[in-house]
């Protein structure tokens, strides 16, 4: 489960009605959070009592006549069905007003989820064919490096022009990246394609959050955001099977080349509803300073990844340049005190990066480990991660239950301990005599821990944010997510190469002969145990989530 991952927001991450248990006030922003329900209506945020089946607000009667002064009969209009008024309290995400948009959002997320599961499954094959196992981590971190910049750009673009343009631009870039990666003849070209995908993914995820915030009333937003997690369930089940079968019998390239056309249909379904979105309060101009900071962070992260992957004296120059770009810019993009785990919001943002990075840093290497060390086929290796996707959604649901709101910080601490245990258990598959299914069992544990921790962090972020800061704080959470993925994936890649994993090869031409022709167990052990140790650091950070004295 990599790439664009909307499972980080679920029903528990949405604001609840004012006055309810655990109510959260949030301002509209790139996170898709709803405006405060108690705020007065404005031209950009109408507050009608009812909605029509076409999504338009009901017509106001110019006088007191029963027919509204138009000569029409109200019963006839209701029977007509085209504009039957539905009480706002009874509308659902699948009412006629919202059905096309809801189905389109679910379809886009499902396709991206399928692609993410497919990439994790076929990466051992692609890296082996392109003679690029030594650059294995770059194929994942390159995506997140590009998406880090694109998410900030998308937030500013959405604020300036609305979500329609960045959403379609993101889908186009994502499709172009799939074509480049699927056509690659060398590993650097494959990594470049993944970077283009990252640009598209960053644009899409922020746009979708904005669409939810503008198109759906506050009461329905929890259900829509919950569908983001639910949309991952089927793809993580069928994705490894389909991708592994294609890779083994047709060719790994078609896993990438067959995807772009599938994204067009849900976009066409969504388009009429997207055009009817309320305009919102557009900013006068983009915040170029914030965009440049994000670009500098992405460039700095890329230079640092190159430097640590190529451990030579000459690599010091790009390494120093990368650090000089990355460090001061990150400090300006994230809340003050983030890297010293200051209590409250800074620790919430830090924990998000640690949780996402440790799990992904380990997960990216698990299929390669199972193929090279245990002789599993790519399909079976990918299926070992399926349980984690299912329990992730379950964990997201569990932490959102009202009775657990008072214990959210402790639940997140438990979640990080579950992640550490999961990764450490997966490492035992390197021991002779330990069955390979231990990885599947361990990922069930880790997935639940991720669902509790990631979604709980989204809730705490909104709870600790002032309404006017919710958008920028949500952007900081996304930046921390991407930075955690980039830095800890990079660290995994360094450990893997340093312990000899860069020369590992595998016979994947015939699944029956996939016996791991050149394994390096020490390299995989270093990656998994290193990420388990970082998860324990995250468990400590959860003790500082409540605001208070430093």
């Amino acid at each position: 489960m990599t790439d664009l991952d909307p499972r980080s927001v679920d029903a528990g991450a949405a604001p609840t009605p004012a006055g309810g248990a655990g109510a959260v006030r949030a301002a509209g922003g790139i996170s898709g959070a709803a405006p405060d329900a108690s705020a007065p209506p404005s031209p950009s945020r109408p507050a009608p009592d009812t909605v029509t089946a076409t999504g338009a607000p009901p017509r106001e009667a110019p006088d007191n006549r029963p027919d509204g002064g138009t000569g029409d009969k109200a019963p006839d209009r209701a029977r007509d069905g085209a504009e039957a008024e539905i009480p706002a309290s009874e509308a659902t995400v699948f009412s006629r007003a919202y059905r096309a948009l809801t189905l389109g959002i679910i379809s886009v997320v499902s396709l991206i989820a399928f692609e993410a599961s497919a990439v994790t499954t076929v990466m051992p094959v692609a890296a082996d064919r392109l003679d690029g196992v030594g650059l294995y981590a770059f194929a994942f971190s390159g995506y997140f490096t590009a998406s880090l910049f694109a998410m900030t750009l998308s937030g500013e673009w959405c604020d300036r022009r609305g979500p329609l343009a960045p959403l379609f631009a993101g889908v186009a870039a994502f499709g172009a990246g799939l074509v480049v990666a699927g056509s690659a003849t060398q590993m650097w070209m494959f990594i470049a394609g993944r970077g283009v995908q990252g640009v598209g993914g960053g644009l899409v995820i922020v746009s979708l959050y904005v669409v939810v915030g503008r198109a759906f009333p506050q009461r329905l937003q929890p259900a829509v955001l919950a569908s983001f997690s639910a949309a991952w369930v089927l793809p993580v089940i069928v994705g490894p099977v389909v991708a592994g079968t294609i890779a083994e019998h047709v060719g790994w390239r078609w896993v990438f080349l067959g995807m772009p056309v599938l994204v067009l249909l849900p976009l066409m379904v969504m388009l009429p509803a997207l055009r009817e979105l309320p305009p919102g309060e557009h900013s006068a101009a983009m915040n170029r300073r914030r965009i440049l900071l994000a670009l500098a962070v992405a460039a700095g992260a890329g230079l640092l990844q190159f430097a640590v992957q190529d451990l030579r004296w000459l690599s010091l120059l790009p390494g120093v340049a990368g650090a000089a770009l990355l460090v001061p810019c990150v400090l300006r993009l994230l809340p003050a005190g983030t890297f010293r785990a200051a209590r409250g919001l800074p620790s919430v943002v830090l924990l998000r990066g640690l949780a996402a990075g440790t799990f992904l840093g380990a997960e990216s290497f698990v299929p390669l480990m199972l193929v090279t060390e245990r002789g599993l086929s790519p399909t079976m290796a990918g299926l070992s991660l399926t349980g984690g996707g299912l329990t992730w959604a379950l964990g997201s649901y569990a932490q959102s239950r009202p009775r657990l709101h008072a214990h959210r910080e402790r639940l997140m601490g438990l979640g990080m301990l579950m992640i550490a245990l999961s990764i450490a258990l997966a490492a035992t598959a390197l021991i002779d005599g330990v069955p390979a299914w231990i990885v599947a069992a361990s990922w069930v544990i880790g997935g639940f821990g991720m669902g509790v921790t990631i979604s709980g962090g989204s809730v705490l972020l909104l709870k600790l944010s002032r309404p006017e800061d919710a958008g920028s704080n949500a952007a900081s959470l996304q930046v921390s997510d991407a930075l955690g993925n980039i830095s800890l994936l990079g660290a995994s890649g360094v450990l893997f190469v340093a312990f000899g994993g860069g020369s590992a090869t595998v016979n994947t031409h015939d699944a029956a002969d996939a016996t791991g022709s050149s394994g390096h167990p020490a390299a995989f052990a270093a990656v998994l145990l290193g990420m388990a140790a970082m998860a324990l650091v995250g468990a400590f950070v959860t003790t500082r989530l409540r605001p208070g004295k430093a």
Side-chain angles (χ1 to χ4, degrees), residues 391-409:
T391 54
W392 185 318
L394 180 61
S396 296
Y397 172 80
Q399 66 80 39
S400 69
R401 298 304 87 200
R403 75 177 77 175
L404 297 178
H405 286 180
H407 309 288
R408 178 164 282 113
E409 293 83 356

Side-chain angles (χ1 to χ4, degrees), residues 327-362:
V327 174
C329 295
V330 166
L331 292 176
R332 288 172 171 80
L333 284 174
L334 300 181
T338 295
F339 292 106
R340 57 182 176 84
R343 288 191 175 276
L345 183 64
S347 287
V348 173
V349 173
L350 175 62
L351 180 66
R352 176 63 169 265
L354 287 172
T358 53
F359 200 68
L360 180 62

